[in-house]
Amino acid sequence: MEAAGDPLKNRQPTSHERRARRPWDASYTGDEPAPWDLGRPQPAIVRLAARGGFAGPVLDAGCGTGENALHLASLGLPVLGVDVAETALAMARQKARERGVEVEFAAADALHLKCSGRKFDTVLDSGLFHAFDAEERSMYALSLAPVTASGGTLYVLCFSDQGTEMGPHPVSRDDLLAAFHHGSGWEIVSIEAERVLTRFHDDAGAPAWLATMRTL
């Protein structure tokens, strides 16, 4: 990402931050882990990687404390994890040092990505898309497309509006279709039912979508 200056200097609070009345970073500074911070990668991402779903280099957008990025990097993939929460990034870097995993973490605004000419073959979003409102989702899709290689793949794992025990900010199929349309530079390949594990659901997790998109 941008090396010079503060990449978050002019960032505006997201709709989630405005509703919660606190920045994303505050989720990582309390006595308890953030509700989505499992201390391990999402099982859906582990399964996807085991099927050969990732090619490098990989961008993990909204990486948090880095568990998904660290898992992918441990498989030999070059990975960049980005987030707006500096505390989470510090925790991710510490994990990488402790585990001896080579992975890059950087502060960046996913709604306004600037990668200095870098392109990624695969982009992962595990739990970020559903935190945005409709306007931000459109901005996000437009932000991701230029940093994704031609024919590259984007995976979005997000809370679903189908089933019971739904997570906060559930997403419909129409929400995904509205954000990742041809005009934003994307083609939706599939939207499959999945599960997302959290600290406030039981072991089965919450209903989710795993959406696969490709750049046009």
Short mmCIF file of all heavy atoms in Angstrom, two decimals, residues 25-77:
data_model
loop_
_atom_site.label_atom_id
_atom_site.label_comp_id
_atom_site.label_asym_id
_atom_site.label_seq_id
_atom_site.Cartn_x
_atom_site.Cartn_y
_atom_site.Cartn_z
N ASP A 25 -10.93 0.44 15.75
CA ASP A 25 -9.80 0.09 16.61
C ASP A 25 -10.23 -0.24 18.03
O ASP A 25 -9.60 -1.08 18.70
CB ASP A 25 -8.77 1.22 16.62
CG ASP A 25 -7.42 0.76 17.10
OD1 ASP A 25 -6.74 0.01 16.36
OD2 ASP A 25 -7.02 1.11 18.23
N ALA A 26 -11.32 0.40 18.49
CA ALA A 26 -11.78 0.16 19.86
C ALA A 26 -12.23 -1.29 20.08
O ALA A 26 -12.25 -1.76 21.22
CB ALA A 26 -12.93 1.12 20.18
N SER A 27 -12.56 -2.00 19.00
CA SER A 27 -12.97 -3.39 19.13
C SER A 27 -11.83 -4.28 19.61
O SER A 27 -12.07 -5.40 20.09
CB SER A 27 -13.48 -3.92 17.78
OG SER A 27 -14.59 -3.18 17.33
N TYR A 28 -10.60 -3.78 19.49
CA TYR A 28 -9.43 -4.61 19.80
C TYR A 28 -8.68 -4.14 21.06
O TYR A 28 -7.64 -4.70 21.39
CB TYR A 28 -8.46 -4.60 18.62
CG TYR A 28 -9.08 -5.15 17.36
CD1 TYR A 28 -9.65 -4.30 16.40
CD2 TYR A 28 -9.13 -6.51 17.11
CE1 TYR A 28 -10.23 -4.80 15.25
CE2 TYR A 28 -9.71 -7.02 15.97
CZ TYR A 28 -10.25 -6.16 15.04
OH TYR A 28 -10.83 -6.66 13.91
N THR A 29 -9.21 -3.14 21.75
CA THR A 29 -8.49 -2.58 22.89
C THR A 29 -9.12 -2.94 24.24
O THR A 29 -8.61 -2.53 25.28
CB THR A 29 -8.40 -1.04 22.77
OG1 THR A 29 -9.73 -0.50 22.68
CG2 THR A 29 -7.60 -0.64 21.55
N GLY A 30 -10.22 -3.69 24.24
CA GLY A 30 -10.88 -4.06 25.48
C GLY A 30 -10.27 -5.31 26.11
O GLY A 30 -9.29 -5.87 25.63
N ASP A 31 -10.88 -5.75 27.19
CA ASP A 31 -10.39 -6.93 27.89
C ASP A 31 -10.75 -8.22 27.17
O ASP A 31 -10.06 -9.23 27.31
CB ASP A 31 -10.99 -6.98 29.31
CG ASP A 31 -10.50 -5.84 30.19
OD1 ASP A 31 -9.37 -5.36 29.94
OD2 ASP A 31 -11.24 -5.41 31.09
N GLU A 32 -11.83 -8.18 26.37
CA GLU A 32 -12.27 -9.37 25.64
C GLU A 32 -11.98 -9.23 24.16
O GLU A 32 -11.98 -8.12 23.62
CB GLU A 32 -13.78 -9.57 25.83
CG GLU A 32 -14.20 -9.86 27.28
CD GLU A 32 -13.68 -11.18 27.77
OE1 GLU A 32 -13.55 -12.12 26.94
OE2 GLU A 32 -13.40 -11.29 28.97
N PRO A 33 -11.71 -10.34 23.48
CA PRO A 33 -11.49 -10.25 22.03
C PRO A 33 -12.74 -9.75 21.31
O PRO A 33 -13.85 -9.85 21.83
CB PRO A 33 -11.19 -11.72 21.63
CG PRO A 33 -10.82 -12.41 22.89
CD PRO A 33 -11.58 -11.71 23.99
N ALA A 34 -12.54 -9.20 20.13
CA ALA A 34 -13.68 -8.79 19.31
C ALA A 34 -14.55 -10.01 19.00
O ALA A 34 -14.05 -11.14 18.95
CB ALA A 34 -13.18 -8.17 18.01
N PRO A 35 -15.86 -9.81 18.83
CA PRO A 35 -16.77 -10.95 18.61
C PRO A 35 -16.38 -11.84 17.44
O PRO A 35 -16.70 -13.02 17.42
CB PRO A 35 -18.12 -10.28 18.37
CG PRO A 35 -18.02 -8.95 19.04
CD PRO A 35 -16.60 -8.53 18.88
N TRP A 36 -15.70 -11.29 16.45
CA TRP A 36 -15.32 -12.05 15.25
C TRP A 36 -13.89 -12.58 15.33
O TRP A 36 -13.44 -13.26 14.42
CB TRP A 36 -15.46 -11.16 14.02
CG TRP A 36 -14.70 -9.87 14.15
CD1 TRP A 36 -13.38 -9.63 13.87
CD2 TRP A 36 -15.22 -8.62 14.63
NE1 TRP A 36 -13.04 -8.33 14.15
CE2 TRP A 36 -14.15 -7.69 14.61
CE3 TRP A 36 -16.49 -8.21 15.08
CZ2 TRP A 36 -14.32 -6.36 15.03
CZ3 TRP A 36 -16.64 -6.89 15.48
CH2 TRP A 36 -15.57 -5.97 15.45
N ASP A 37 -13.18 -12.27 16.42
CA ASP A 37 -11.78 -12.64 16.54
C ASP A 37 -11.68 -14.00 17.24
O ASP A 37 -11.68 -14.09 18.46
CB ASP A 37 -11.02 -11.57 17.32
CG ASP A 37 -9.53 -11.73 17.23
OD1 ASP A 37 -9.07 -12.66 16.54
OD2 ASP A 37 -8.81 -10.91 17.83
N LEU A 38 -11.56 -15.06 16.45
CA LEU A 38 -11.63 -16.42 16.97
C LEU A 38 -10.30 -16.95 17.48
O LEU A 38 -10.25 -17.95 18.18
CB LEU A 38 -12.13 -17.38 15.88
CG LEU A 38 -13.46 -17.08 15.22
CD1 LEU A 38 -13.72 -18.10 14.12
CD2 LEU A 38 -14.59 -17.07 16.24
N GLY A 39 -9.20 -16.31 17.07
CA GLY A 39 -7.89 -16.87 17.38
C GLY A 39 -7.50 -17.99 16.43
O GLY A 39 -6.51 -18.70 16.64
N ARG A 40 -8.23 -18.13 15.35
CA ARG A 40 -7.95 -19.12 14.30
C ARG A 40 -8.69 -18.68 13.04
O ARG A 40 -9.61 -17.85 13.13
CB ARG A 40 -8.40 -20.52 14.72
CG ARG A 40 -9.88 -20.65 15.04
CD ARG A 40 -10.17 -22.02 15.66
NE ARG A 40 -11.54 -22.17 16.12
CZ ARG A 40 -12.49 -22.79 15.42
NH1 ARG A 40 -12.21 -23.32 14.24
NH2 ARG A 40 -13.71 -22.90 15.90
N PRO A 41 -8.33 -19.22 11.88
CA PRO A 41 -9.01 -18.80 10.66
C PRO A 41 -10.43 -19.33 10.59
O PRO A 41 -10.77 -20.32 11.25
CB PRO A 41 -8.14 -19.40 9.55
CG PRO A 41 -7.46 -20.56 10.20
CD PRO A 41 -7.22 -20.15 11.62
N GLN A 42 -11.24 -18.68 9.79
CA GLN A 42 -12.60 -19.17 9.56
C GLN A 42 -12.54 -20.53 8.87
O GLN A 42 -11.84 -20.69 7.86
CB GLN A 42 -13.39 -18.19 8.70
CG GLN A 42 -13.91 -16.97 9.44
CD GLN A 42 -15.08 -17.29 10.36
OE1 GLN A 42 -15.77 -18.28 10.18
NE2 GLN A 42 -15.27 -16.44 11.36
N PRO A 43 -13.28 -21.53 9.36
CA PRO A 43 -13.27 -22.84 8.70
C PRO A 43 -13.62 -22.79 7.23
O PRO A 43 -13.06 -23.55 6.42
CB PRO A 43 -14.31 -23.63 9.50
CG PRO A 43 -14.30 -23.00 10.85
CD PRO A 43 -14.05 -21.54 10.61
N ALA A 44 -14.53 -21.90 6.84
CA ALA A 44 -14.89 -21.79 5.43
C ALA A 44 -13.69 -21.39 4.58
O ALA A 44 -13.53 -21.86 3.44
CB ALA A 44 -16.02 -20.77 5.25
N ILE A 45 -12.81 -20.53 5.12
CA ILE A 45 -11.62 -20.10 4.40
C ILE A 45 -10.60 -21.23 4.34
O ILE A 45 -9.94 -21.44 3.31
CB ILE A 45 -11.01 -18.85 5.05
CG1 ILE A 45 -12.05 -17.72 5.14
CG2 ILE A 45 -9.79 -18.39 4.28
CD1 ILE A 45 -12.73 -17.39 3.84
N VAL A 46 -10.49 -21.98 5.42
CA VAL A 46 -9.57 -23.14 5.43
C VAL A 46 -9.99 -24.15 4.37
O VAL A 46 -9.15 -24.67 3.61
CB VAL A 46 -9.53 -23.78 6.82
CG1 VAL A 46 -8.70 -25.06 6.81
CG2 VAL A 46 -8.98 -22.80 7.85
N ARG A 47 -11.29 -24.43 4.29
CA ARG A 47 -11.78 -25.38 3.30
C ARG A 47 -11.56 -24.87 1.88
O ARG A 47 -11.17 -25.62 0.99
CB ARG A 47 -13.28 -25.66 3.53
CG ARG A 47 -13.57 -26.44 4.80
CD ARG A 47 -15.00 -26.93 4.81
NE ARG A 47 -15.98 -25.86 4.82
CZ ARG A 47 -16.46 -25.30 5.92
NH1 ARG A 47 -16.06 -25.72 7.12
NH2 ARG A 47 -17.37 -24.34 5.85
N LEU A 48 -11.79 -23.58 1.69
CA LEU A 48 -11.61 -22.99 0.37
C LEU A 48 -10.14 -23.07 -0.06
O LEU A 48 -9.84 -23.40 -1.21
CB LEU A 48 -12.07 -21.53 0.41
CG LEU A 48 -12.07 -20.74 -0.89
CD1 LEU A 48 -12.95 -21.39 -1.94
CD2 LEU A 48 -12.53 -19.31 -0.62
N ALA A 49 -9.24 -22.81 0.86
CA ALA A 49 -7.82 -22.89 0.55
C ALA A 49 -7.41 -24.33 0.25
O ALA A 49 -6.59 -24.58 -0.65
CB ALA A 49 -6.99 -22.33 1.71
N ALA A 50 -7.98 -25.29 1.00
CA ALA A 50 -7.64 -26.70 0.79
C ALA A 50 -8.08 -27.17 -0.60
O ALA A 50 -7.48 -28.11 -1.15
CB ALA A 50 -8.29 -27.55 1.87
N ARG A 51 -9.09 -26.52 -1.18
CA ARG A 51 -9.55 -26.87 -2.52
C ARG A 51 -8.75 -26.15 -3.60
O ARG A 51 -9.08 -26.24 -4.78
CB ARG A 51 -11.04 -26.52 -2.68
CG ARG A 51 -11.97 -27.25 -1.74
CD ARG A 51 -13.40 -27.19 -2.25
NE ARG A 51 -13.92 -25.85 -2.40
CZ ARG A 51 -14.65 -25.21 -1.48
NH1 ARG A 51 -14.90 -25.79 -0.32
NH2 ARG A 51 -15.10 -23.99 -1.71
N GLY A 52 -7.73 -25.41 -3.20
CA GLY A 52 -6.93 -24.68 -4.18
C GLY A 52 -7.57 -23.39 -4.64
O GLY A 52 -7.29 -22.91 -5.74
N GLY A 53 -8.38 -22.79 -3.78
CA GLY A 53 -9.13 -21.60 -4.17
C GLY A 53 -8.32 -20.32 -4.23
O GLY A 53 -8.82 -19.32 -4.74
N PHE A 54 -7.11 -20.33 -3.70
CA PHE A 54 -6.31 -19.11 -3.64
C PHE A 54 -5.06 -19.22 -4.50
O PHE A 54 -4.36 -20.23 -4.47
CB PHE A 54 -5.91 -18.79 -2.20
CG PHE A 54 -7.05 -18.39 -1.33
CD1 PHE A 54 -7.80 -19.34 -0.66
CD2 PHE A 54 -7.40 -17.05 -1.19
CE1 PHE A 54 -8.89 -18.97 0.13
CE2 PHE A 54 -8.46 -16.67 -0.39
CZ PHE A 54 -9.22 -17.63 0.27
N ALA A 55 -4.80 -18.16 -5.26
CA ALA A 55 -3.55 -18.01 -5.99
C ALA A 55 -2.95 -16.68 -5.58
O ALA A 55 -3.68 -15.72 -5.31
CB ALA A 55 -3.79 -18.05 -7.50
N GLY A 56 -1.64 -16.62 -5.52
CA GLY A 56 -1.02 -15.41 -5.03
C GLY A 56 -0.59 -14.48 -6.14
O GLY A 56 -0.48 -14.91 -7.29
N PRO A 57 -0.34 -13.22 -5.78
CA PRO A 57 -0.46 -12.65 -4.45
C PRO A 57 -1.92 -12.46 -4.00
O PRO A 57 -2.80 -12.31 -4.84
CB PRO A 57 0.26 -11.31 -4.56
CG PRO A 57 0.17 -10.96 -6.01
CD PRO A 57 0.21 -12.25 -6.76
N VAL A 58 -2.11 -12.48 -2.67
CA VAL A 58 -3.44 -12.41 -2.07
C VAL A 58 -3.57 -11.13 -1.25
O VAL A 58 -2.65 -10.77 -0.51
CB VAL A 58 -3.70 -13.63 -1.16
CG1 VAL A 58 -5.08 -13.52 -0.50
CG2 VAL A 58 -3.58 -14.93 -1.94
N LEU A 59 -4.72 -10.47 -1.36
CA LEU A 59 -5.06 -9.33 -0.52
C LEU A 59 -6.18 -9.75 0.42
O LEU A 59 -7.22 -10.24 -0.03
CB LEU A 59 -5.53 -8.15 -1.38
CG LEU A 59 -6.07 -6.93 -0.62
CD1 LEU A 59 -4.97 -6.26 0.20
CD2 LEU A 59 -6.72 -5.93 -1.57
N ASP A 60 -5.96 -9.58 1.72
CA ASP A 60 -6.99 -9.84 2.72
C ASP A 60 -7.51 -8.48 3.20
O ASP A 60 -6.83 -7.77 3.95
CB ASP A 60 -6.41 -10.64 3.89
CG ASP A 60 -7.44 -11.00 4.95
OD1 ASP A 60 -8.62 -10.60 4.81
OD2 ASP A 60 -7.07 -11.68 5.93
N ALA A 61 -8.69 -8.10 2.73
CA ALA A 61 -9.27 -6.79 3.04
C ALA A 61 -10.05 -6.86 4.35
O ALA A 61 -10.98 -7.64 4.48
CB ALA A 61 -10.19 -6.34 1.90
N GLY A 62 -9.66 -6.04 5.31
CA GLY A 62 -10.27 -6.10 6.63
C GLY A 62 -9.76 -7.31 7.38
O GLY A 62 -10.53 -8.10 7.92
N CYS A 63 -8.44 -7.43 7.46
CA CYS A 63 -7.81 -8.64 7.98
C CYS A 63 -7.91 -8.81 9.48
O CYS A 63 -7.67 -9.91 10.00
CB CYS A 63 -6.34 -8.69 7.56
SG CYS A 63 -5.33 -7.36 8.28
N GLY A 64 -8.23 -7.74 10.22
CA GLY A 64 -8.29 -7.85 11.68
C GLY A 64 -6.95 -8.27 12.25
O GLY A 64 -5.90 -7.76 11.85
N THR A 65 -6.97 -9.23 13.17
CA THR A 65 -5.72 -9.67 13.79
C THR A 65 -5.00 -10.74 12.98
O THR A 65 -4.05 -11.35 13.45
CB THR A 65 -5.96 -10.19 15.22
OG1 THR A 65 -6.78 -11.37 15.17
CG2 THR A 65 -6.65 -9.14 16.08
N GLY A 66 -5.47 -10.97 11.75
CA GLY A 66 -4.66 -11.68 10.77
C GLY A 66 -4.78 -13.17 10.64
O GLY A 66 -4.00 -13.79 9.91
N GLU A 67 -5.75 -13.80 11.30
CA GLU A 67 -5.78 -15.27 11.29
C GLU A 67 -5.94 -15.86 9.89
O GLU A 67 -5.27 -16.83 9.53
CB GLU A 67 -6.87 -15.79 12.21
CG GLU A 67 -6.60 -15.57 13.70
CD GLU A 67 -5.40 -16.36 14.19
OE1 GLU A 67 -4.96 -17.31 13.52
OE2 GLU A 67 -4.90 -16.01 15.29
N ASN A 68 -6.83 -15.30 9.08
CA ASN A 68 -7.00 -15.82 7.72
C ASN A 68 -5.75 -15.57 6.88
O ASN A 68 -5.30 -16.46 6.14
CB ASN A 68 -8.22 -15.20 7.04
CG ASN A 68 -9.52 -15.63 7.68
OD1 ASN A 68 -9.70 -16.78 8.03
ND2 ASN A 68 -10.44 -14.69 7.84
N ALA A 69 -5.19 -14.37 6.98
CA ALA A 69 -3.98 -14.04 6.23
C ALA A 69 -2.82 -14.94 6.64
O ALA A 69 -2.06 -15.42 5.79
CB ALA A 69 -3.61 -12.57 6.45
N LEU A 70 -2.68 -15.18 7.91
CA LEU A 70 -1.60 -16.04 8.41
C LEU A 70 -1.76 -17.47 7.91
O LEU A 70 -0.78 -18.13 7.56
CB LEU A 70 -1.57 -16.00 9.93
CG LEU A 70 -1.02 -14.70 10.53
CD1 LEU A 70 -1.47 -14.56 11.98
CD2 LEU A 70 0.50 -14.69 10.45
N HIS A 71 -2.99 -17.94 7.87
CA HIS A 71 -3.21 -19.30 7.37
C HIS A 71 -2.81 -19.40 5.90
O HIS A 71 -2.10 -20.35 5.51
CB HIS A 71 -4.68 -19.70 7.54
CG HIS A 71 -4.99 -21.05 6.96
ND1 HIS A 71 -4.52 -22.21 7.52
CD2 HIS A 71 -5.68 -21.41 5.84
CE1 HIS A 71 -4.93 -23.25 6.78
NE2 HIS A 71 -5.63 -22.78 5.77
N LEU A 72 -3.24 -18.44 5.09
CA LEU A 72 -2.91 -18.48 3.67
C LEU A 72 -1.41 -18.34 3.45
O LEU A 72 -0.82 -19.03 2.61
CB LEU A 72 -3.66 -17.39 2.93
CG LEU A 72 -5.20 -17.51 2.95
CD1 LEU A 72 -5.84 -16.30 2.28
CD2 LEU A 72 -5.65 -18.80 2.27
N ALA A 73 -0.77 -17.47 4.23
CA ALA A 73 0.67 -17.30 4.10
C ALA A 73 1.42 -18.57 4.51
O ALA A 73 2.47 -18.89 3.93
CB ALA A 73 1.14 -16.11 4.93
N SER A 74 0.89 -19.29 5.49
CA SER A 74 1.54 -20.53 5.93
C SER A 74 1.52 -21.60 4.84
O SER A 74 2.30 -22.55 4.89
CB SER A 74 0.86 -21.06 7.20
OG SER A 74 -0.41 -21.64 6.91
N LEU A 75 0.64 -21.42 3.86
CA LEU A 75 0.56 -22.35 2.72
C LEU A 75 1.53 -21.97 1.61
O LEU A 75 1.57 -22.63 0.57
CB LEU A 75 -0.86 -22.38 2.18
CG LEU A 75 -1.95 -22.80 3.17
CD1 LEU A 75 -3.33 -22.71 2.52
CD2 LEU A 75 -1.71 -24.20 3.70
N GLY A 76 2.28 -20.90 1.83
CA GLY A 76 3.27 -20.47 0.85
C GLY A 76 2.82 -19.35 -0.07
O GLY A 76 3.54 -18.99 -1.01
N LEU A 77 1.64 -18.79 0.18
CA LEU A 77 1.13 -17.70 -0.65
C LEU A 77 1.65 -16.35 -0.16
O LEU A 77 1.73 -16.12 1.05
CB LEU A 77 -0.40 -17.68 -0.61
CG LEU A 77 -1.11 -18.86 -1.28
CD1 LEU A 77 -2.53 -18.97 -0.77
CD2 LEU A 77 -1.08 -18.70 -2.80
#
